[in-house]
Amino acid sequence: EMLADTQAALAVSQEEERDARRRALHDSMTGLPNRDLFDDRLSTAISLARRHDWTLAVMFFDLDGFKTINDTHGHAAGDSVLKEVAKRLSRHSREEDAVCRNGGDEFLYLLVNPKGKKNIERLAGLVSANIAKPIAVGRRQFVVNASIGVAVFPLDGTTGDELVRSADTAMYRAKKHESGCEFFDQV
């Protein structure tokens, strides 16, 4: 009986440890991977891309008009919007891709081996259109659009940090030009 108790306690502590590890690597509100887990997946993807001569794309999403929702309708409404955007981003991503919440109303999306700029543009457009569909919160409908910056490996960076920085720069350009989506290499 003591053995059974010990095994049960061990099983519980292993499960708690797994939960703690999952919590440490995921955003508590949206359930998406957090930046640490994303960076980890990104560096793995970079190693694979080097080995197989693939491209990768990092898309940096920032939600336009989100601050207004938060300020006008409160954080609960804002949180609901973020959860729904996270769900929509996850729904789009393939097994090999990775999506994360970068904090606030920023999300990162890694596309593994997207096979060309046209395909990246198409995907960015699909995800963007999906995010822009009205989000029901209680009796209200909110619409948020995303500004998207895209960086492509190895052209726009050869490390995870460089790619995220390039995508971030492109995203600010998309915001400024209200163009929806910009690639880092478009000068």
Side-chain angles (χ1 to χ4, degrees), residues 8-36:
L10 205 62
V12 166
S13 76
Q14 281 174 334
E15 196 164 316
E16 283 170 351
E17 196 178 311
R18 235 190 339 269
D19 280 354
R21 201 170 30 238
R22 199 190 65 72
R23 274 196 309 274
L25 294 173
H26 288 78
D27 173 55
S28 60
M29 191 213 308
T30 61
L32 286 179
N34 65 15
R35 185 60 195 274
D36 288 340

Side-chain angles (χ1 to χ4, degrees), residues 61 63 85 88-89 126-133 135 144-146:
F61 288 78
L63 303 180
V85 168
R88 292 177 185 187
L89 283 171
L126 281 173
V127 175
S128 188
N130 204 355
I131 288 173
K133 288 180 183 147
I135 297 171
V144 288
N145 290 297

Side-chain angles (χ1 to χ4, degrees), residues 96-158:
E96 62 270 30
D97 298 334
V99 178
C100 93
R101 179 169 174 221
N102 194 41
D105 60 344
E106 296 177 345
F107 295 87
L108 287 165
Y109 193 128
L110 166 67
L111 280 173
V112 176
N113 198 15
K115 298 187 171 65
K117 191 169 177 173
K118 279 271 169 276
N119 211 22
I120 299 167
E121 276 173 342
R122 189 183 60 78
L123 256 155
L126 281 173
V127 175
S128 188
N130 204 355
I131 288 173
K133 288 180 183 147
I135 297 171
V137 178
R139 282 191 294 242
R140 286 198 158 77
Q141 297 272 336
F142 295 110
V143 175
V144 288
N145 290 297
S147 289
I148 307 170
V150 184
V152 180
F153 170 89
L155 194 70
D156 306 326
T158 53

Side-chain angles (χ1 to χ4, degrees), residues 39-110:
D39 286 345
D40 194 47
R41 289 186 180 165
L42 180 53
S43 64
T44 303
I46 288 171
S47 303
L48 284 169
R50 282 204 175 99
R51 195 172 321 139
H52 299 292
D53 212 18
W54 291 342
T55 58
L56 301 170
V58 172
M59 298 195 283
F60 196 119
F61 288 78
D62 184 90
L63 303 180
D64 304 328
F66 178 76
K67 194 181 173 323
T68 313
I69 294 171
N70 241 355
D71 294 349
T72 313
H73 302 283
H75 289 288
D79 290 355
S80 296
V81 168
L82 288 176
K83 284 177 189 161
E84 182 55 33
V85 168
K87 226 181 268 160
R88 292 177 185 187
L89 283 171
S90 300
R91 223 176 285 143
H92 259 282
S93 71
R94 305 167 301 173
E95 194 65 42
E96 62 270 30
D97 298 334
V99 178
C100 93
R101 179 169 174 221
N102 194 41
D105 60 344
E106 296 177 345
F107 295 87
L108 287 165
Y109 193 128
L110 166 67

